[in-house]
Amino acid sequence: MNPLQLCLILSSLLFAVGLAAALARTHAILVLLGVELMLNAANLNFIAFWRYGPPASPADGIMFVVFSIAVAAAEAAVGLALIIAVYRHQKNIRLQEANRLKG
Amino acid sequence: MIAFAVIALLILASASLAMCLRNLVHSVLLLVANWAGIAVFYLWAGAEFVAFAQLLVYVGAVSMLSLFAVLLTRRSFHDLDIIPESVSRATWALLTAGAVAGVLIGTILGSPFGNVTEAAPAVSMRQLGEELAGTHVAGLLVVGIILTVALLGGVVIASKDKEDKS
């Protein structure tokens, strides 16, 4: 097994942990954090292929990850703002009870 | 390889423990360890710039944002402990995640990757800056617009309405 496969397996396992959290937990913040874990697993893949993949332009993998981190940060900010808005309307952020969008 | 094993253990253990805990503050603090572990992985792979971006954005900013959201959305001091989920929901989630992981790992192990390049690609900070401001300048501008719009949107969504005095 070469190091590229090890890195990819690590990121697959991290993705699975994030997926399990996003599906199993009912607390909105934990679901959002599970999605963040999945995004981080994708970034691990970019770096693994940049490091061990076939030679390409040396900065490409890093550019992918930098843009991906920027978009993930925007997503986290908007997601947490939505959670606070839902909490203000319903005084609860369990996903089963947050089943209507009109406040 | 020992360094990789330690990093992988840190990443996976902190992530799975964080997602199992009942106390949200503990979960977020463990996720900080997880994000720091991912930054260490980037350092190990030789991508220093990405490692420090990860430290700044995740360990610095997203963790603070999550902690604020946790503390702003509780009703009392003891409200941090969340209600346990139903067993069937957890079982199905674990089954799905296990199936996805199985398919992914099976595919990875079965793929012919050929020989990997052993030497890390050498890229200097100056080269990165020139790529970012030259080849990828359109992407950089779009990311700037996305971040501005997300910031304004977050403020608008989370801010109180004027007539809502409660």
Side-chain angles (χ1 to χ4, degrees):
Chain A
M1 196 187 299
N2 59 36
L4 176 57
Q5 280 173 322
L6 281 178
C7 293
L8 293 183
I9 287 174
L10 167 64
S11 85
S12 306
L13 289 176
L14 187 62
F15 184 88
V17 170
L19 182 64
L23 291 177
R25 308 312 294 266
T26 54
H27 200 278
I29 293 179
L30 275 173
V31 172
L32 194 72
L33 291 177
V35 174
E36 288 290 329
L37 277 187
M38 291 195 266
L39 272 166
N40 271 306
N43 290 349
L44 284 188
N45 267 354
F46 282 133
I47 287 298
F49 278 112
W50 168 79
R51 171 70 176 78
Y52 292 112
S57 166
D60 274 356
I62 293 185
M63 287 299 128
F64 266 113
V65 183
V66 167
F67 287 129
S68 162
I69 285 180
V71 174
E75 174 256 331
V78 174
L80 291 171
L82 277 173
I83 286 173
I84 289 179
V86 168
Y87 174 78
R88 177 163 302 136
H89 280 303
Q90 320 213 352
K91 298 292 167 214
N92 201 333
I93 50 174
R94 291 195 77 215
L95 288 177
Q96 275 89 354
E97 286 141 43
N99 50 10
R100 64 205 167 98
L101 286 175
K102 195 157 180 280
Chain B
M1 266 314 113
I2 296 172
F4 177 80
V6 171
I7 295 168
L9 193 69
L10 170 67
I11 291 177
L12 290 177
S14 58
S16 35
L17 199 57
M19 291 302 152
C20 292
L21 287 182
R22 291 260 156 268
N23 190 316
L24 268 178
V25 175
H26 294 175
S27 288
V28 176
L29 290 179
L30 268 170
L31 274 181
V32 172
N34 174 50
W35 290 326
I38 291 174
V40 174
F41 173 86
Y42 292 153
L43 273 183
W44 174 81
E48 290 88 5
F49 182 74
V50 177
F52 291 115
Q54 170 90 10
L55 271 183
L56 277 178
V57 173
Y58 276 99
V59 183
V62 176
S63 65
M64 283 303 115
L65 213 56
S66 314
L67 275 178
F68 265 101
V70 169
L71 295 179
L72 284 175
T73 55
R74 61 175 188 169
R75 278 162 295 184
S76 65
F77 182 74
H78 299 288
D79 198 31
L80 284 174
D81 291 344
I82 48 187
I83 315 161
E85 281 83 18
S86 67
V87 177
S88 71
R89 192 184 172 94
T91 314
W92 279 112
L94 283 180
L95 277 179
T96 316
V100 169
V103 168
L104 283 176
I105 291 177
T107 317
I108 289 166
L109 289 181
S111 305
F113 280 112
N115 291 327
V116 297
T117 49
E118 282 305 325
V123 52
S124 66
M125 210 57 79
R126 179 191 180 89
Q127 209 177 342
L128 273 182
E130 280 170 355
E131 284 257 341
L132 205 55
T135 324
H136 301 290
V137 66
L140 191 68
L141 292 177
V142 170
V143 162
I145 294 171
I146 287 179
L147 285 175
T148 314
V149 170
L151 181 70
L152 290 177
V155 170
V156 168
I157 291 170
S159 65
K160 242 178 203 163
D161 300 332
K162 257 192 187 142
E163 61 272 16
D164 183 17
K165 294 288 182 207
S166 56

